[in-house]
Amino acid sequence: FYVVGSAYSYLQEWLPNVGQEVLKTGKADSIGFGRMVLSYPDMPADILSGQGLKRGKICRTFSDCTTAPRNGMISGCFPLDPFYKSMPEYDQL
């Protein structure tokens, strides 16, 4: 079987460090990013390139990305992504 580590969003800027340790110690085979890439789609590339994370783009777990679909709206990072901030749904949330 294959194990994907998940629920790492709450780690925020420490996600790469914890993810690396989880992989090194064999506790998971890969690390899932989930909602993290809604606010920061370049995060995996930044981690792999060694550039470090851009703090202003890191998911802060406001949960609008999951609240919106539960209310029949599109999912996205409404607090951090300018694209979603400009949508009418932003005001509804």
Side-chain angles (χ1 to χ4, degrees), residues 23-81:
L23 295 175
K24 276 179 31 178
T25 57
K27 294 181 176 107
D29 298 301
S30 65
I31 303 299
F33 292 136
R35 77 170 78 186
M36 296 287 285
V37 296
L38 290 173
S39 65
Y40 191 175
D42 297 324
M43 185 186 68
D46 287 352
I47 291 170
L48 291 173
S49 71
Q51 292 182 36
L53 298 180
K54 295 175 179 81
R55 188 168 172 76
K57 292 185 170 192
I58 296 172
C59 175
R60 297 298 173 196
T61 61
F62 298 123
S63 295
D64 286 346
C65 60
T66 56
T67 301
R70 283 195 299 271
N71 291 304
M73 295 180 249
I74 189 171
S75 180
C77 186
F78 291 90
L80 299 178
D81 189 318

Side-chain angles (χ1 to χ4, degrees), residues 9-22:
S9 296
Y10 287 99
L11 299 172
Q12 299 178 9
E13 57 262 47
W14 296 280
L15 182 150
N17 303 89
V18 175
Q20 181 180 30
E21 182 64 18
V22 167

